[in-house]
Amino acid sequence: MDQELYSKERSASLDLLLRFQRLLVSKLYPTDCVGQVSNTYSPDLLGVGSLLKKYTALLCTHIGDILPVATSIACTSHRHFAEVSRVVDGDLTGILLPELVVSIVLLLSKNAGLMQEAGAIPLLAGLLEHLDRFNHLAPGKERDDNEDLAWPGIMGSFFTGQSCRNNEEVTLIRKADLENHNKDGGFWTVIDGKVYDIKDFQTQSLTGSSIL
């Protein structure tokens, strides 16, 4: 209901697509155990998954055609980028895609097997390069990247202007110290010569320790 004001500004066809997208997601969202027995899924559920894949394929094809053109225009100047961004924000790219990505991540966390069966996720991966090229044209990109990469308590001070080399609390950790720490159940890793403790992240990650 909070989005009714914005809904009135959308075209009827775009609003219909958004409703259809939400309907697909709601049908796939597991509310109970119906439809799944011993890693098998009902034909109806698989049908919805197949429909989601076809819908995602059509959406990605459209966005894959739009973004290269948008990028070629946006690279002219900051003013062009602002205008193109406004248009893209009101298009399928700005309205349907963000909600679809969040929905698929949610569905993946709830029922990874079904989402792998549906096969919609690899289709979205094909958009990463197009999105990356467009986003790299944004003014202040470097600053935003730094803020996104700032982990509280680890990298936060680095981006507030304090040099870690001038910080008296910096501790030099030898390779042997790191190996002994990890043997005792810790999880330190080295990135660009700096040691990070990702033990807390390990418990939350779905990728497994070997990938980390």
Side-chain angles (χ1 to χ4, degrees):
M1 295 301 293
D2 294 337
Q3 302 296 325
E4 284 303 315
L5 177 63
Y6 300 99
S7 179
K8 294 177 181 178
E9 298 175 357
R10 291 194 298 260
S11 66
S13 58
L14 189 57
D15 194 61
L16 184 63
L17 281 173
L18 183 59
R19 290 171 183 266
F20 175 70
Q21 176 176 299
R22 290 173 176 173
L23 179 63
L24 288 177
V25 172
S26 67
K27 292 294 184 181
L28 290 171
Y29 190 84
T31 54
D32 49 37
C33 296
V34 175
Q36 180 181 359
V37 181
S38 302
N39 294 326
T40 60
Y41 304 98
S42 68
D44 289 345
L45 206 57
L46 292 175
V48 177
S50 177
L51 196 57
L52 176 66
K53 181 179 179 180
K54 292 178 181 179
Y55 169 81
T56 304
L58 291 171
L59 182 64
C60 290
T61 298
H62 170 79
I63 296 174
D65 292 338
I66 291 294
L67 280 179
V69 178
T71 301
S72 64
I73 299 174
C75 68
T76 308
S77 67
H78 290 338
R79 179 173 170 272
H80 283 81
F81 178 83
E83 283 298 312
V84 171
S85 297
R86 184 183 61 81
V87 174
V88 169
D89 193 46
D91 185 57
L92 306 184
T93 310
I95 295 177
L96 299 182
L97 182 62
E99 187 171 313
L100 179 63
V101 170
V102 172
S103 298
I104 287 182
V105 170
L106 176 63
L107 290 172
L108 185 63
S109 69
K110 293 291 184 179
N111 198 333
L114 178 61
M115 293 309 298
Q116 291 174 357
E117 191 84 25
I121 298 174
L123 298 172
L124 292 171
L127 294 177
L128 291 177
E129 185 176 350
H130 295 304
L131 291 167
D132 197 47
R133 287 178 180 173
F134 183 80
N135 289 332
H136 268 72
L137 299 175
K141 171 187 71 69
E142 294 82 4
R143 182 195 66 236
D144 291 340
D145 279 351
N146 288 342
E147 291 174 353
D148 289 342
L149 292 172
W151 295 2
I154 300 178
M155 295 293 284
S157 62
F158 179 80
F159 296 113
T160 56
Q162 298 178 4
S163 174
C164 61
R165 294 182 179 178
N166 295 330
N167 191 339
E168 295 179 356
E169 296 180 359
V170 169
T171 303
L172 296 179
I173 299 176
R174 299 174 302 170
K175 183 178 179 180
D177 296 332
L178 183 139
E179 292 175 350
N180 290 332
H181 178 81
N182 289 348
K183 286 179 181 178
D184 293 336
F187 207 129
W188 287 356
T189 187
V190 180
I191 303 174
D192 292 335
K194 297 181 179 65
V195 178
Y196 299 91
D197 187 351
I198 58 173
K199 180 68 176 178
D200 291 340
F201 179 74
Q202 178 193 12
T203 60
Q204 303 172 16
S205 174
L206 301 176
T207 60
S209 298
S210 59
I211 296 179
L212 287 179

